[in-house]
Amino acid sequence: GHGGQVYGAQVHGDRVFAGRHGFTARPRLAEPEAAAAPGSLLAPMPGTVVRVAEGIAEGAEVVAGQPLLWLEAMKMEHRVAAPADGRVAALHVVVGQQVEVGAVLAVVTPTGRGEE
């Protein structure tokens, strides 16, 4: 051993970790939803959008629990459903798109019962 491992470790290793990714790991308790608009559907995990339900587009009416789209992550499909009865205010993803955990997939504005 010539102590050769010092080379890359200091120049590259430190830069990458300290500069970019030092603080990305958040405790799992932190709820990202606080930052997103009410009714936002967030990606529960990083993955790829494999399907969007038929008829789901901006302005579409949805009911609570209705599947809106499917993410594939680690070879498993994960269904993302409407959180409440309402209308799709925004659809931010297309089939084949890769998303990161916490990414806003769509926004559902609940139809206010008795508020209108």
Side-chain angles (χ1 to χ4, degrees):
H2 289 61
Q5 52 165 310
V6 177
Y7 283 109
Q10 279 188 306
V11 184
H12 294 304
D14 275 323
R15 282 300 272 287
V16 177
F17 292 114
R20 279 276 166 82
H21 301 290
F23 300 100
T24 23
R26 295 260 164 78
R28 282 188 83 70
L29 297 173
E31 287 294 309
E33 283 158 81
S40 295
L41 302 180
L42 305 181
M45 61 194 74
T48 305
V49 178
V50 290
R51 201 169 134 220
V52 174
E54 213 175 310
I56 296 303
E58 294 190 16
E61 306 240 345
V62 295
V63 295
Q66 178 178 337
L68 303 184
L69 50 96
W70 286 259
L71 283 182
E72 186 184 276
M74 298 175 288
K75 304 280 184 259
M76 291 180 58
E77 283 198 5
H78 185 93
R79 190 177 71 187
V80 177
D85 294 359
R87 186 175 273 115
V88 178
L91 184 62
H92 292 296
V93 295
V94 294
V95 172
Q97 183 172 333
Q98 295 201 321
V99 296
E100 294 178 11
V101 64
V104 177
L105 305 172
V107 179
V108 173
T109 309
T111 36
R113 301 230 179 277
E115 281 181 33
E116 295 186 358

